[in-house]
Amino acid sequence: MNTEKERNSNLDPFKRIMTGRGVLCGLALAAGIAIGGWLFGGPADTPRAEETHLHAEAEPTVWTCSMHPQIRQDKPGKCPLCAMDLIPLKPAGAAGNDATDPDAVLLSEEAAALANIQTTVVTRSRPEKEIRLYGVVQPDEQRIYSLASPVSGRIETLHVRFEGETVHRGDVVAGLYSPDLLNAQQELLEALGMASVQPALPEAAREKLRRWKLTGAQIAAIEQRGTASPVMDITASGSGVVTAKNVEEGDYVTQGSVLFKLADFSSVWVMFEAYETDLSYLKAGDRVTYTLPALPGKTFEGKITFIDPTLDKLSRTARVRVETANPGLQLKPEMYASAVIRAAPAGRPSEEIVIPRSAVLWTGKRSVVYVRQPDTSQPTFHLREVELGATLGETCIIASGIAEGEEVVTNGAFTIDASAQLEGKRSMMNGAPSATPAGEEAALRVEGLCEMCRERIEDAARKVPGVTAASWDMETRQLHVRFDARQTSADAVARAVAAVGHDTAKYKAGLSVYTLLPDCCKYRN
């Protein structure tokens, strides 16, 4: 069998030359690839330095619970302790240059969508408040009449039999027998007989009868008849509906006794109740449109004629009187009525900054909103204290704090504020600006057994100056703290916790302090 050397020697000279050239071409190709890689940054699948740096900076979103900040997860879900929705603590790829102040809260697009963050651009508009008034139809007190007996006597006949009966002016309502009236008629007849001697006497007798409410026609009938009538007709002095009937036939009455009460319902009052906070929006002369459940589909209109100057001390309301015509007597006393009025507060500018009430977070002394910062690569919000003006139902006037054109959060402000609190930033409950953008975090091993231990450990940690958040997990016995590194350290927190009776990994609580703990808190065997 021929050896390899012999086989090569038997090759044709041309083939040997071509074989040598192939080797040279392969070497040249390898050298070209190496030089190209050196010049253009290496193969396509090798990451560049900038890309490696960017990937290193990108951090996943940390999701936590607003009630249990010790919970940390890399994806949204439910808190394993209380089943509340987790909120984002630190968004992915949060670039610090997106925030104009250290207390700005940054959210990823995903986190903002899950939290249902909604914003509204601030504009100026006419500040109108929708006021709802509820009231009852009442008789017009200026159109209520009393029919009284002009003289003492006995009711002989009664022409009004029941309450609710309609009476017109001049109608006879009752017949009254009165000895005094009989004597007065006889005096008139005698005075007429002496008119030639005493011309003023008949007129004096007529005047006496007029004062007893006899009409001119009744007096003329007596003179023509020439005899006195023992029964006098009592006529209605006005028109209306009988609202009260106080006598029956045969009753004796004295002069001035009220026989009937009449009410004219051609015009009625609607007495509405207005809360004290709404009174500044109402004034006499305003037109009011209202409806009644008893007359669906119909609207009525009236004018405010009076606003009660005093408040009811129990309901904190004042009565508002609306006077309205009542043709056809459709409006009946005691019917319920409701009105909706849109009015601007008195003495205010025609246009002001008005935002939804849902955008405002109240803390008692402070009112804050979250404003979205413009020109940022991801949703960025910062807290802004505002001064509130009048409240207009679902909106409110902003006296100062935000300007026209800014974008305020109208839904999800509590979620943003909770994230700010967990990060130790300025928030609704923390009015002081943060000393650092976020501070430092540490996890310490702290011994304990029960809820009393948890309260004692967290309270001791929070009392250390510079600590912004502290939470102890009973199961893992880990104390998670956030603090300003310029004011304190994790070592100082550990010493403070050991001083109240709880061992840490570095410091052991003194025996004198440990023995003072309740029996349920003594963790040492």
Side-chain angles (χ1 to χ4, degrees), residues 186-243:
Q186 292 174 348
E187 289 176 2
L188 173 60
L189 296 175
E190 292 175 359
L192 290 173
M194 301 174 61
S196 59
V197 180
Q198 296 287 341
L201 206 58
E203 186 58 29
R206 294 188 189 100
E207 183 61 26
K208 184 177 181 178
L209 292 174
R210 292 192 193 100
R211 291 187 179 275
W212 282 351
K213 301 301 181 181
L214 267 70
T215 64
Q218 289 175 314
I219 296 174
I222 295 172
E223 294 178 358
Q224 292 176 2
R225 189 171 58 243
T227 58
S229 173
V231 178
M232 181 191 75
D233 291 335
I234 299 177
T235 59
S237 57
S239 301
V241 175
V242 177
T243 58

Side-chain angles (χ1 to χ4, degrees), residues 22-88:
V23 173
L24 291 176
C25 291
L27 292 175
L29 178 61
I33 293 174
I35 295 172
W38 179 75
L39 290 176
F40 299 103
D45 58 350
T46 303
R48 298 183 185 181
E50 293 86 348
E51 293 176 345
T52 304
H53 179 68
L54 290 176
H55 286 299
E57 285 187 350
E59 299 179 8
T61 300
V62 178
W63 296 81
T64 186
C65 176
S66 58
M67 297 298 294
H68 302 90
Q70 70 270 20
I71 302 299
R72 298 288 192 274
Q73 292 186 8
D74 59 355
K75 59 183 179 180
K78 299 286 185 180
C79 174
L81 300 181
C82 64
M84 290 180 62
D85 290 333
L86 298 181
I87 61 175

Side-chain angles (χ1 to χ4, degrees), residues 5-19:
K5 183 176 181 181
E6 290 174 346
R7 287 196 300 267
N8 291 338
S9 62
N10 294 330
L11 292 174
D12 185 76
F14 178 75
K15 292 182 178 180
R16 288 200 301 270
I17 293 172
M18 295 302 297
T19 303

Side-chain angles (χ1 to χ4, degrees), residues 68-70 458 462 469-473 478-481:
H68 302 90
Q70 70 270 20
E458 293 179 354
R462 293 192 187 104
S471 176
W472 181 71
D473 189 337
Q478 291 288 322
L479 173 64
H480 297 270
V481 293

Side-chain angles (χ1 to χ4, degrees), residues 34-321:
I35 295 172
W38 179 75
L39 290 176
F40 299 103
D45 58 350
T46 303
R48 298 183 185 181
E50 293 86 348
E51 293 176 345
T52 304
H53 179 68
L54 290 176
H55 286 299
E57 285 187 350
E59 299 179 8
T61 300
V62 178
W63 296 81
T64 186
C65 176
S66 58
M67 297 298 294
H68 302 90
Q70 70 270 20
I71 302 299
R72 298 288 192 274
Q73 292 186 8
D74 59 355
K75 59 183 179 180
K78 299 286 185 180
C79 174
L81 300 181
C82 64
M84 290 180 62
D85 290 333
L86 298 181
I87 61 175
L89 173 64
K90 187 176 182 181
N97 58 3
D98 279 352
T100 60
D101 61 70
D103 289 297
V105 181
L106 285 73
L107 299 178
S108 65
E109 295 289 348
E110 178 189 12
L114 288 173
N116 195 23
I117 304 298
Q118 299 177 10
T119 61
T120 299
V121 178
V122 177
T123 58
R124 289 185 176 272
S125 61
R126 174 179 169 82
E128 288 187 337
K129 182 177 183 179
E130 184 177 276
I131 303 173
R132 292 185 175 273
L133 302 178
Y134 299 93
V136 179
V137 178
Q138 297 289 343
D140 187 338
E141 294 180 5
Q142 302 172 92
R143 296 172 179 268
I144 295 178
Y145 313 98
S146 292
L147 291 181
S149 176
V151 293
S152 300
R154 182 180 69 246
I155 301 297
E156 290 293 319
T157 57
L158 200 62
H159 300 282
V160 175
R161 296 295 181 179
F162 53 86
E163 293 180 1
E165 191 173 346
T166 301
V167 175
H168 300 282
R169 179 187 293 272
D171 288 351
V172 177
V173 297
L176 179 69
Y177 166 75
S178 172
D180 293 337
L181 186 59
L182 185 60
N183 292 335
Q185 295 179 63
Q186 292 174 348
E187 289 176 2
L188 173 60
L189 296 175
E190 292 175 359
L192 290 173
M194 301 174 61
S196 59
V197 180
Q198 296 287 341
L201 206 58
E203 186 58 29
R206 294 188 189 100
E207 183 61 26
K208 184 177 181 178
L209 292 174
R210 292 192 193 100
R211 291 187 179 275
W212 282 351
K213 301 301 181 181
L214 267 70
T215 64
Q218 289 175 314
I219 296 174
I222 295 172
E223 294 178 358
Q224 292 176 2
R225 189 171 58 243
T227 58
S229 173
V231 178
M232 181 191 75
D233 291 335
I234 299 177
T235 59
S237 57
S239 301
V241 175
V242 177
T243 58
K245 174 173 169 286
N246 302 325
V247 293
E248 299 292 343
E249 287 187 358
D251 288 350
Y252 284 86
V253 295
T254 59
Q255 185 177 14
S257 296
V258 176
L259 307 179
F260 308 98
K261 280 197 172 182
L262 304 179
D264 183 3
F265 295 147
S266 61
S267 177
V268 295
W269 292 348
V270 184
M271 303 301 294
F272 291 103
E273 300 284 337
Y275 287 103
E276 56 182 320
T277 54
D278 296 333
L279 292 177
S280 61
Y281 297 86
L282 305 173
K283 63 181 182 298
D286 287 349
R287 305 295 300 183
V288 177
T289 301
Y290 59 92
T291 59
L292 295 91
L295 301 171
K298 294 184 178 181
T299 59
F300 300 86
E301 186 177 289
K303 182 174 66 174
I304 296 178
T305 57
F306 181 75
I307 299 176
D308 201 326
T310 61
L311 290 177
D312 184 279
K313 63 180 181 180
L314 297 179
S315 64
R316 310 304 303 168
T317 59
R319 293 185 303 170
V320 178
R321 181 200 303 166

Side-chain angles (χ1 to χ4, degrees), residues 230-520:
V231 178
M232 181 191 75
D233 291 335
I234 299 177
T235 59
S237 57
S239 301
V241 175
V242 177
T243 58
K245 174 173 169 286
N246 302 325
V247 293
E248 299 292 343
E249 287 187 358
D251 288 350
Y252 284 86
V253 295
T254 59
Q255 185 177 14
S257 296
V258 176
L259 307 179
F260 308 98
K261 280 197 172 182
L262 304 179
D264 183 3
F265 295 147
S266 61
S267 177
V268 295
W269 292 348
V270 184
M271 303 301 294
F272 291 103
E273 300 284 337
Y275 287 103
E276 56 182 320
T277 54
D278 296 333
L279 292 177
S280 61
Y281 297 86
L282 305 173
K283 63 181 182 298
D286 287 349
R287 305 295 300 183
V288 177
T289 301
Y290 59 92
T291 59
L292 295 91
L295 301 171
K298 294 184 178 181
T299 59
F300 300 86
E301 186 177 289
K303 182 174 66 174
I304 296 178
T305 57
F306 181 75
I307 299 176
D308 201 326
T310 61
L311 290 177
D312 184 279
K313 63 180 181 180
L314 297 179
S315 64
R316 310 304 303 168
T317 59
R319 293 185 303 170
V320 178
R321 181 200 303 166
V322 174
E323 187 174 333
T324 182
N326 187 23
L329 304 183
Q330 296 183 82
L331 304 178
K332 304 183 185 305
E334 303 306 324
M335 279 185 172
Y336 288 112
S338 60
V340 179
I341 302 173
R342 297 193 63 87
R348 303 292 301 186
S350 59
E351 288 190 351
E352 294 190 79
I353 292 178
V354 180
I355 65 173
R357 288 183 63 184
S358 60
V360 183
L361 303 179
W362 285 274
T363 64
K365 295 182 179 180
R366 300 162 55 240
S367 299
V368 300
V369 299
Y370 276 93
V371 180
R372 179 165 183 170
Q373 291 186 318
D375 303 326
T376 54
S377 60
Q378 62 188 55
T380 306
F381 310 91
H382 67 86
L383 179 141
R384 187 84 60 82
E385 291 192 23
V386 296
E387 182 181 349
L388 296 181
T391 301
L392 311 173
E394 296 301 319
T395 60
C396 57
I397 298 174
I398 300 298
S400 63
I402 54 177
E404 185 177 4
E406 291 188 296
E407 197 172 350
V408 297
V409 177
T410 56
N411 187 69
F414 276 108
T415 302
I416 298 174
D417 192 79
S419 180
Q421 292 184 40
L422 292 172
E423 295 181 34
K425 298 182 178 182
R426 190 182 181 202
S427 63
M428 177 176 66
M429 306 307 296
N430 178 25
S434 299
T436 59
E440 293 189 7
E441 292 185 3
L444 309 175
R445 172 78 179 188
V446 180
E447 299 298 331
L449 293 176
C450 61
E451 284 294 323
M452 293 180 62
C453 295
R454 183 182 64 80
E455 294 178 4
R456 191 181 303 109
I457 293 169
E458 293 179 354
D459 186 60
R462 293 192 187 104
K463 287 182 178 179
V464 177
V467 173
T468 58
S471 176
W472 181 71
D473 189 337
M474 192 186 310
E475 296 181 1
T476 63
R477 299 190 180 181
Q478 291 288 322
L479 173 64
H480 297 270
V481 293
R482 179 180 291 275
F483 56 90
D484 182 357
R486 297 180 300 179
Q487 300 184 46
T488 188
S489 63
D491 189 74
V493 176
R495 287 198 304 269
V497 172
V500 298
H502 292 273
D503 294 345
T504 66
K506 186 175 181 180
Y507 298 99
K508 186 175 182 179
L511 184 61
S512 59
V513 179
Y514 178 79
T515 55
L516 296 177
L517 296 177
D519 291 339
C520 63

